[in-house]
Structure formats: structure tokens, C-alpha cells
Amino acid sequence: MAKRAIQSRSRYHEYMPPTTGLAFQTDKRYHVFLSFRGPDVRNTLVAHLYQALSAAGLNVFLDSDKLEKGEVIELSLETVIERSAIRIPIFSTGYANSAWCLKEAASMLKYPGLIIPLFYAVDPVDVRYPSKNSSPYKQSFLKHYSHSDQYPREEIEWWKSVLQHICPCLNFGGHSVRYPRREIDSWKDALQEISSRSGWSMDITQGVTLEVAKHPVGLDSVKNALIQKLNLNSVDDVIKIGIWGIGGIGKTTVAKALYNQVYMEFEAVSFVFNISATAADETGQIFVQRSFERKTRTLVLDDVDAMVQLDALAEDWLVPGSRVIITSRDMNILNVANISSECIHEMSGLETNEALQLFSWHAFLRAPPIPGYEDLSRRVVEACKGHPLTLEVIGSFLYRRKDTSCWIEALNNITLNNITSYTSIFT
């Protein structure tokens, strides 16, 4: 045991945390390795993370339950950690009580890979300095020191050094989960941290209702028409639909509404918000394919803007019964994706009454407009040509501005500038 600890220390100095997005290598058996103390977080944070990451198609190693019979557990975990692209230690108040957890953390530093520490109800500084009187880890290490027959002092000192190197400061890339707080906020925030730090540029969702719009004016009719095109009763085919239109016209909003409506019908669901970053190269294509195989699912690819981003969508790994929703500003993208014309919806501007409602909610926090501003509001709405994002931004800009000269200036700017380039003027 002591010999292994010495070897670990010598290999540690070769380790440097990656500074760029993660590349999934073909020799990696697992995407994610979770290290945690079961009694603290297994049925809360870990349960949610495991479900969400697995639903996104990631191969997640949770604990020794996955080890093959006959394997030596300690050596097997060493191999699993080595072959995991991302290692996530979840530091809870009782993490250091477990020598097993500390050994897992030590193994993480021995091999190149991305480490994303999560801090559950503990401060990063208390994990970094476990000998502090205020640290919940102090008593844990005193206990380990007292069992010198099991753990040589040199190995225990190495464990303390590991904690310092894994979490030198929160800016290194750790996420602090404060407590008490709503559990759903804790695991959703942690999930977003993992997505951001790993460089996947995607929002991984499972059983999570996405925020659509504060004022979803005119949304239901479009959503219901597209649900009919999805034909959820069919389990024999892969059905793809496209949502096409200019920027800010509401493509993503509609896609989110569709996702919320149908995700319970499938084994797994994923909403990829930045497909251009995820599938722009071979690594991204491998990730997308590995992420979405083997299960019937709804997959949303938002804002596809290049043909290469469709290379990862090979037909042979899309399970019958799955649904793919693609949004794009380029009709040719949807044609290349083999989406039939009857399954492509062109987003157009809101009708006058709907546009007036949306503008009023942002300009006055009510609909219809307040007395005295009806005519000015209708002139602004007419100039916006039903473009939802323009209506929202200009409505918010004019909120609480009673001076009519501000309204006239806004009207002039809308008239003089391209409607899709307004944000630099009003925000």
C-alpha cells in the first residue's frame, strides 16, 4: 500500500489539468466517473446526476456494482478511473471519512483527464485544508492516523496533498452546492457546471422542463401543429421535423415547448443548444453518436448552421420510434437532413394582435397597453413586423419611459435599421 502511494506521488507531478474542451478518446471506456460517499449524496445529488448524464447517452461509472465478477475491486477501480474521460469527486461533509473515497481521489491525479470537483454542503477551503479546526475533514483524518495498521502515515499525507491539488480554489473549476436549497437547483446547477467545464457546449436534460418564455404569446398554435407532425403514436419510424426562420423569430422557443410536451413519452431526451460547437469535428461526432444510441429518444439540435454538423446524424444509430427536431436559419440544411417538406415549419412573425400583446407585456407588464399609449404602441408593433425578439427588446427598452420622444426615437431606429440587428441599439 505504501509503495503504491509513493508511486502515485511521483506520477502526480506529471499531471496537468486540461485547459481546453474535453476530447473523447476512443480508448476511454467511460465518459464520467463519479466518486462520492453514499450516505451523504447517493439518493439526492448523485441519483439525479446519474439519471441525467445517462439519459444524455453518457457511459457513467457509479460504483463497484458495475465491476465484473472475479475482479480485484481496488485494481479495477484504478483501471476504471484511468479509462474515464471525466472524473467528478463530490466532496460532502463525510467524504473524507471514507478511505475508499480518498483513494479514488488520489487515483484521479495519476492519469491525464478532466477533474471537475463538486462541493456539497462544504466549503472548498475546508476541503483544501483538512487540518483546519473549522474543517469537517479534520476528525476524519485524525481517525485515519489512528489506524496506522491499515493506512501508513505517508499514504494519509498523500491523501491530504491530493485534496489540495484537486481543489486549489473554486476558480480552478469546481462548483459549490450550497445547502439548504432546493435539491433540483443543486443538481441542475452541478449538471450545467459539468457541461460547461467539459467543453460539450450542450445542455444535458432529462425529465427537466425547460424554461420556454415568460409570455408565450402565440406559441400554442405552432406547438400543437408540430406535435401532429411528430406523430407520437408511430413506433416504427424515425421522424424528423425542421423549424426554419430568421434569427429571433422564435425557433428555439418553439423547440423548447415541443420538448416539454413530449419528453415523458421517450426513454431519454436531449436538447443540444449549441450543435455547432458539439459536432463541428470528428470528436464531436463520436460524442453525439455515442450519446444518442440504443434508446428511443427525442433529440433537439438547435441552430444548425453548417452541413458538417449533420455528419454525426447517421441513420443507422437512430432507434425506430425516435424523434429528431432541428432548427436552422438555412432551409438547405433541413433538406440535406432529409426532412420532408411537409415536416418543415417556417416561422413567421406574430399577427398584429398577438404582437401587441407581447410588446405590451414587456413595455407595461400588462396587456393591452396603458391608456394614452395605444397609438404609439401600435406604431411600434407595426414597425417590428411581428418579430418576437424585436418586440421583447424594444418593449423592455421602453418600460417606464414616459417621454414620448424616446418612443419616437425607437420608431426611427427600427425604420432605419435591419430588424435583425436591433439589439446593439437598444441593449
Side-chain angles (χ1 to χ4, degrees), residues 22-47:
L22 174 70
F24 284 117
Q25 302 170 6
T26 56
D27 63 341
K28 297 297 185 185
R29 180 176 178 182
Y30 297 99
H31 294 119
V32 179
F33 178 91
L34 295 176
S35 173
F36 60 94
R37 185 173 182 269
D40 292 352
V41 292
R42 180 185 291 275
N43 296 323
T44 53
L45 178 61
V46 168

Side-chain angles (χ1 to χ4, degrees), residues 69-131:
K69 292 182 179 180
E71 291 184 306
V72 179
I73 292 178
E74 186 169 354
L75 293 179
S76 296
L77 279 176
E78 179 97 357
T79 302
V80 169
I81 292 171
E82 179 183 9
R83 299 186 63 183
S84 296
I86 296 180
R87 300 86 187 253
I88 302 177
I90 301 175
F91 295 114
S92 58
T93 54
Y95 186 91
N97 282 336
S98 169
W100 192 268
C101 288
L102 293 171
K103 290 177 181 179
E104 290 178 351
S107 293
M108 292 180 189
L109 291 181
K110 292 177 61 176
Y111 308 102
L114 183 61
I115 300 175
I116 304 177
L118 300 179
F119 302 90
Y120 187 89
V122 296
D123 289 325
V125 68
D126 289 330
V127 179
R128 175 169 166 77
Y129 300 108
S131 296

Side-chain angles (χ1 to χ4, degrees), residues 29-33 53-54 57-61 66 294:
R29 180 176 178 182
Y30 297 99
H31 294 119
V32 179
F33 178 91
L53 292 170
S54 297
L58 301 182
N59 193 5
V60 183
F61 187 91
K66 286 190 175 181
R294 298 186 304 276

Side-chain angles (χ1 to χ4, degrees), residues 7 35 105 275 278 295 305 334 360 394:
Q7 292 174 342
S35 173
I275 186 62
T278 304
K295 295 180 179 179
D305 62 6
L334 304 180
S360 296
I394 296 181

